[in-house]
Amino acid sequence: MKTDSAAYLSDAIRRIEGGNVSSSSGSHVAGIFGKAAKAFEKEFRMHVSWTLKTCGLDYDTNLRATIKGTAFQKLTLGNLMAVIKKASTLNSQFVPACLPEGYEFSGFLDAVKQINDAWVQVKHGDEVEAQILVTRMKSMLELLQRIRTQEKLG
């Protein structure tokens, strides 16, 4: 994505809620959501990589077997959640290091899971209500902003 993912999300939410898209339901919103989710996954992958390094863990050495040998750059959002869960059992410092301010571990994973669940539905062509997609985009935006703040401080 050429545009900053947070800026894209912010603009997309504003356009959808303002009625400035050709259809506030259906495939147009799903397409906007899909583009946002793809960028979110990429940035979330970078965050997980940063967190692993911060905690002295190596994906290939410590975690790859848990994720069925998938190369790190190919991990889906669901795979990345599995990495976080497993890493938290290997290094007690992982949980505090990976959590953006204001999140408990289960709440953080739940927020990511809700985004992932909606994205899986969209990728499989299932219809998801536009309001749910907008809510998930708002969650992506909040998580991105908090993750970026955390990494600057860390």
Side-chain angles (χ1 to χ4, degrees), residues 1-137:
M1 174 180 281
K2 293 179 182 175
T3 318
D4 173 70
S5 50
Y8 177 81
L9 276 162
S10 183
D11 182 60
I13 293 164
R14 182 188 50 73
R15 287 185 298 128
I16 294 167
E17 290 185 331
N20 297 324
V21 295
S22 62
S23 171
S24 63
S25 63
S27 62
H28 192 158
V29 174
I32 293 168
F33 177 84
K35 183 175 180 180
K38 185 175 180 179
F40 175 79
E41 180 181 75
K42 183 178 180 180
E43 196 155 339
F44 193 73
R45 186 180 300 112
M46 289 186 301
H47 172 67
V48 172
S49 176
W50 172 84
T51 305
L52 291 173
K53 288 176 188 164
T54 299
C55 296
L57 293 173
D58 178 73
Y59 173 74
D60 288 324
T61 303
N62 305 114
L63 299 155
R64 190 169 183 164
T66 304
I67 314 299
K68 300 179 183 175
T70 304
F72 189 80
Q73 291 305 317
K74 299 282 186 184
L75 294 178
T76 65
L77 201 51
N79 293 146
L80 292 166
M81 288 188 309
V83 167
I84 290 171
K85 287 177 189 176
K86 181 62 177 176
S88 70
T89 67
L90 298 175
N91 184 330
S92 62
Q93 296 302 307
F94 185 84
V95 174
C98 79
L99 293 179
E101 185 176 330
Y103 282 96
E104 297 290 329
F105 190 59
S106 62
F108 174 71
L109 288 178
D110 187 53
V112 177
K113 183 182 182 313
Q114 288 179 9
I115 293 165
N116 187 57
D117 289 348
W119 193 21
V120 168
Q121 288 179 295
V122 168
K123 286 192 291 188
H124 290 185
D126 298 336
E127 189 162 331
V128 181
E129 290 180 37
Q131 187 54 49
I132 291 172
L133 296 178
V134 170
T135 299
R136 299 303 174 253
M137 285 190 282

